[in-house]
Amino acid sequence: MDWGGILNNTAGWFFSPTTIAYALAATGLAVHFGYAGLLNFGMAGFMAIGAYSYAISILSFGLPWWLGIVVGMIGAAVFAVILGIPTLRLRADYLAIVTIAAAEIVRLLFTTTVFDEYTNSADGLGGYHAGFRAANPFPQGTYGFGPWTYSADDLWVRVFGVILLAIAIFMVWALMRSPWGRVLKGIREDEDAVRSLGKNVFSYKMQALIIGGIFGSLGGLVFALPSAVVPATYTTSLTFFIWTILLLGGAATVFGPVLGAIIFWVIMAFLDGVLPALAAQGVLPISSIQAGTLRFVLVGLALMLLVIFRPQGILGNKRELTFVK
C-alpha cells in the first residue's frame, strides 16, 4: 500500500477549493439552523444559484468577474425572499420538506433545455475563468511545498476563497454579538416569547435566510472557480454533506463550519485512498468500487454516533443546542 501517496493526497484537502466552498456553505447553514433554528435542506439550491449566476453573467452578458459575484449574491437574496415568503411560517419539519423540493426545482431548471442558451442544460458551463485569472496578483510560477504545491492560478483560487470565508466568519461573529443576533438566538429557542416582546419574528427569519443564502452562494462560486459548473453536482447529497460538516464542527459556533469541513474532507480523502487499497490487497472482502462507497457508510455511522453522544459538535456548547419544536 502506497501510504506516502495516500497521506500526500489527504493532506492536500486541508487547503482545497472544495473544503473552502463547503466551509462557506456550512457557515451560511449555521446562520439558518444554528442561530435562527431554520431547518433548511435546500443549501444546494443557493450554491447552484451562486455558481450559475457567476458563469452566466460572464459568458452570456459579458460582465466582469467581480460583478458576476455580486449578481450571484443578489440572485441568492432573491431566491431566499421567494422561498421565505410562503415557507417561513411553516413548522420545522414542513420547512425541511419544502426547502429540499425548492433546491431540486432550481437544479432541474438549470438542466432543462428551455434555457439551454444560457445554462447549456445538463452539460453545464465552463470557460468563464479568463477575467478572474487576469486579476491574479501572483506571478506565474509554482508556490508552496509538498502536497501544498500550487500553480499561480490554483493559489489564487484558494487565497480568494479564504478571503471570502474570513469575511463570512467575521460577519457571523459580529452579527451574533449584536442585538440582532441575540434576537435571532431568542427566536431559535422560543419564537413565541420573542413575538410577545413585540419583535417581528418573520422579518428576522427572512433576514437570516437571506444572509445565510448569500454565504451559500459564495460557497457555490468558490466550488465552481477551479473548473466548471456542472448541474449534477448540486443534488441533495451536497446539502447532506453540508449538514454533516455543520453538525461535526458545531451548529451554533463561528469556527465550527471551518473545522467540520476540514475534518470531513480529510477523512473522506483518507478513506478514499485506504479502503480501495485494502480491497485490492484482499484485506476487505469487497471490490475496489464497493470499497469507495463504503466510506459513505462509515461517515454515516460516525455522524450517528456524533449526534447521539455529542450533538453540540466538536466546538459546540450544550447551552447553544438548537431544539426544533
Side-chain angles (χ1 to χ4, degrees):
M1 187 182 299
D2 182 16
W3 283 107
I6 292 173
L7 294 177
N8 192 68
N9 178 66
T10 300
W13 284 85
F14 276 96
F15 194 44
S16 73
T18 299
T19 303
I20 298 169
Y22 274 76
L24 262 169
T27 300
L29 189 59
V31 175
H32 289 166
F33 177 70
Y35 293 108
L38 302 176
L39 205 60
N40 172 26
F41 277 86
M43 188 54 76
F46 286 102
M47 293 183 72
I49 287 173
Y52 268 98
S53 298
Y54 176 77
I56 292 172
S57 298
I58 295 171
L59 296 176
S60 298
F61 299 99
L63 298 180
W65 68 273
W66 57 269
L67 193 54
I69 297 175
V70 176
V71 171
M73 295 169 66
I74 294 173
V78 171
F79 177 61
V81 172
I82 295 173
L83 178 63
I85 288 175
T87 63
L88 287 181
R89 291 185 174 90
L90 295 176
R91 222 171 55 204
D93 46 354
Y94 293 114
L95 178 62
I97 295 170
V98 171
T99 50
I100 289 176
E104 275 298 287
I105 290 171
V106 169
R107 185 182 68 83
L108 293 174
L109 284 175
F110 286 133
T111 59
T112 181
T113 55
V114 175
F115 308 110
D116 189 65
E117 178 185 356
Y118 301 102
T119 65
N120 202 26
S121 60
D123 294 327
L125 296 171
Y128 47 80
H129 308 91
F132 177 76
R133 290 174 179 172
N136 188 352
F138 301 103
Q140 291 300 315
T142 302
Y143 299 85
F145 59 92
W148 304 286
T149 301
Y150 311 110
S151 67
D153 289 335
D154 290 338
L155 180 62
W156 173 223
V157 169
R158 287 163 170 80
V159 169
F160 185 74
V162 169
I163 291 173
L164 292 181
L165 180 58
I167 293 173
I169 291 172
F170 174 76
M171 288 186 63
V172 171
W173 175 81
L175 286 172
M176 296 313 153
R177 287 169 57 91
S178 70
W180 182 88
R182 288 192 286 273
V183 172
L184 201 65
K185 290 185 226 180
I187 293 172
R188 176 194 66 193
E189 300 300 330
D190 191 339
E191 67 176 71
D192 292 330
V194 174
R195 191 179 287 110
S196 69
L197 296 175
K199 301 295 183 181
N200 189 334
V201 171
F202 178 82
S203 176
Y204 277 89
K205 285 184 176 181
M206 179 66 76
Q207 293 167 36
L209 188 65
I210 292 172
I211 293 172
I214 289 174
F215 293 155
S217 72
L218 293 176
L221 162 72
V222 173
F223 194 69
L225 278 180
S227 53
V229 180
V230 181
T233 304
Y234 303 98
T235 58
T236 51
S237 61
L238 184 149
T239 296
F240 296 146
F241 286 170
I242 296 171
W243 270 96
T244 302
I245 287 168
L246 180 66
L247 296 177
L248 179 62
T253 61
V254 175
F255 294 101
V258 179
L259 180 62
I262 293 173
I263 293 175
F264 178 81
W265 284 111
V266 166
I267 291 175
M268 290 287 280
F270 179 75
L271 293 178
D272 191 42
V274 170
L275 295 178
L278 292 175
Q281 293 181 357
V283 178
L284 294 176
I286 54 178
S287 68
S288 296
I289 296 176
Q290 292 172 328
T293 307
L294 181 60
R295 63 178 178 153
F296 296 105
V297 176
L298 296 177
V299 170
L301 290 173
L303 179 61
M304 291 170 58
L305 294 173
L306 178 71
V307 171
I308 293 170
F309 296 106
R310 191 171 175 82
Q312 70 269 32
I314 294 174
L315 296 182
N317 188 315
K318 287 187 177 181
R319 292 177 299 175
E320 290 289 340
L321 282 176
T322 300
F323 297 96
V324 180
K325 300 180 180 179

